[in-house]
Amino acid sequence: VAQPKPNPESGYLIMKKLGVQASQAVMVGDTTHDMLMAKAAGMSSLAVTYGVHNLIELKSSYPTWIVDTFNEVVATITGQTKE
C-alpha cells in the first residue's frame, strides 16, 4: 500500500482480496493506528492489550471491543463471549 495505517488503504485492500464487506470484517490489533484504520475503513475493531499500546492508549481510539487474551479474541470474533 502507498499509505500506512491509520489510512484505511490496507483495510480496503485486505477486504477486496478476501471478498468481504466492512460489515463482515474485524481488525484485530495492538495499536491505536490499527483501531483508527478500522474506523476509517468502516469495519469493527478489536484491541488487544498484550501488545504495543497500553489500555489507556487503546481506549482513546474507541475500539469496538478490548480484550486481554488471545482466547478472548477468538471468543469475541466467534460470538461466544459472556456478556
Side-chain angles (χ1 to χ4, degrees):
V1 296
Q3 300 292 319
K5 294 179 277 185
N7 184 287
E9 183 182 3
S10 59
Y12 293 145
L13 178 63
I14 292 167
M15 288 187 289
K16 181 178 179 182
K17 285 191 179 265
L18 295 176
V20 299
Q21 300 295 314
S23 62
Q24 301 169 299
V26 178
M27 171 64 186
V28 178
D30 64 349
T31 71
T32 57
H33 308 297
D34 298 327
M35 302 304 106
L36 295 171
M37 184 281 297
K39 184 176 296 237
M43 62 176 75
S44 297
S45 58
L46 197 160
V48 297
T49 60
Y50 52 86
V52 175
H53 287 167
N54 65 42
L55 179 60
I56 293 170
E57 289 173 302
L58 292 168
K59 282 184 175 183
S60 74
S61 60
Y62 301 100
T64 309
W65 303 280
I66 300 175
V67 298
D68 299 315
T69 68
F70 183 73
N71 287 341
E72 289 177 296
V73 170
V74 174
T76 300
I77 291 173
T78 60
Q80 298 177 13
T81 59
K82 297 176 184 175
E83 295 182 37

